[in-house]
C-alpha cells in the first residue's frame, strides 16, 4: 500500500505545482462614441466651425501597466480627424475607474471647401497635420464593458508645413461605450 501511495502523492504534488491556465488577458479595448462635439477655431479672424461628431477609439494596455497605446478616428459633417497612435499614462493601473492623459500625432481632413465670399476655419488644405493632447476616464461596467469619456485638444497647421506659425485648434469631447477584446 505504501508503494502505490508514494507515486500517487508525487503525481498530486506535480499537479499542484504546475501553473494554472488562466483566461487570456483582454488587453485591447474598442470604444464606439456616438456622442461627440467639436469646435474648430482658426488662427486668422477667430472664425469658428462647430459640429457634432461620432468616433471609434482603441487602446492597448498590458495588465498592471501604467502606459497604454491608443488612437481614434472621428468624423462629422465638416471634417474627419484621426490620431493613429497616442501614448497615454494611466496612473491608477487596473482599477474600476481609470483616468488617463495622452499625447499623439493627428491628421485632419476637411470635407467642405470654404466659399470665396464666406471663408471659414477649414482652410484650403486637403490634409492637415498636428498634435493632440487628450484626457479621459474609463469606468468598468462589467467584465468586458466600460464607459468612456474623453476630451481632446488638437493643434493643426493651417498651411503646407506642419511647423507653420499659422495654426488652428480643435477641441472635442466624446462619450462612448467600449468592449475589451
Amino acid at each position: 500500500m505504501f508503494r502505490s501511495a508514494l507515486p500517487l502523492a508525487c503525481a498530486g504534488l506535480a499537479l499542484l505545482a504546475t501553473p494554472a491556465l488562466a483566461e487570456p488577458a483582454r488587453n485591447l479595448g474598442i470604444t464606439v462614441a456616438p456622442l461627440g462635439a467639436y469646435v474648430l477655431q482658426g488662427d486668422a479672424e477667430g472664425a469658428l466651425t462647430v459640429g457634432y461628431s461620432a468616433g471609434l477609439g482603441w487602446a492597448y494596455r498590458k495588465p498592471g501597466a501604467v502606459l497604454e497605446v491608443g488612437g481614434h478616428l472621428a468624423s462629422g459633417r465638416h471634417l474627419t480627424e484621426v490620431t493613429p497612435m497616442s501614448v497615454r499614462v494611466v496612473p491608477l493601473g487596473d482599477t474600476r475607474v481609470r483616468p488617463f492623459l495622452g499625447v499623439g500625432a493627428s491628421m485632419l481632413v476637411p470635407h467642405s471647401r470654404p466659399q470665396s465670399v464666406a471663408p471659414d476655419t477649414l482652410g484650403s488644405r486637403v490634409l492637415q497635420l498636428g498634435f493632440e493632447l487628450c484626457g479621459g476616464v474609463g469606468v468598468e461596467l462589467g467584465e468586458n464593458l466600460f464607459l468612456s469619456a474623453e476630451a481632446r485638444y488638437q493643434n493643426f497647421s493651417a498651411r503646407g508645413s506642419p511647423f507653420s506659425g499659422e495654426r488652428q485648434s480643435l477641441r472635442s469631447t466624446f462619450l462612448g461605450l467600449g468592449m475589451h477584446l
Side-chain angles (χ1 to χ4, degrees):
M1 176 141 168
F2 180 70
R3 284 187 182 177
S4 62
L6 184 61
L8 189 58
C10 289
L13 285 174
L15 285 175
L16 290 175
T18 58
L21 296 175
E23 184 177 322
R26 300 188 187 279
N27 299 336
L28 179 64
I30 302 292
T31 304
V32 176
L35 302 173
Y38 65 87
V39 175
L40 179 65
Q41 183 172 6
D43 198 28
E45 301 81 31
L48 291 176
T49 301
V50 179
Y52 296 103
S53 184
L56 177 67
W58 56 90
Y60 177 80
R61 184 173 62 87
K62 289 187 177 184
V66 295
L67 288 178
E68 71 181 18
V69 177
H72 70 272
L73 168 72
S75 187
R77 180 176 172 217
H78 300 289
L79 57 91
T80 295
E81 52 97 0
V82 62
T83 300
M85 187 172 84
S86 66
V87 177
R88 301 173 182 172
V89 176
V90 185
L92 300 180
D94 295 332
T95 59
R96 186 171 181 271
V97 177
R98 285 192 323 269
F100 67 88
L101 292 172
V103 64
S106 293
M107 295 176 277
L108 172 73
V109 179
H111 296 176
S112 60
R113 300 286 95 210
Q115 303 297 323
S116 58
V117 294
D120 62 12
T121 58
L122 294 174
S124 60
R125 304 246 339 127
V126 174
L127 175 67
Q128 295 166 292
L129 303 175
F131 70 92
E132 169 187 276
L133 299 174
C134 64
V137 64
V139 179
E140 296 292 328
L141 299 176
E143 187 174 320
N144 292 326
L145 293 176
F146 61 92
L147 185 64
S148 175
E150 185 172 353
R152 302 181 193 123
Y153 171 81
Q154 295 163 300
N155 192 292
F156 296 98
S157 169
R159 297 284 174 219
S161 170
F163 304 108
S164 168
E166 290 188 47
R167 312 294 293 178
Q168 56 188 6
S169 63
L170 176 66
R171 294 179 308 272
S172 56
T173 58
F174 290 89
L175 182 62
L177 185 63
M179 180 188 334
H180 295 292
L181 301 178

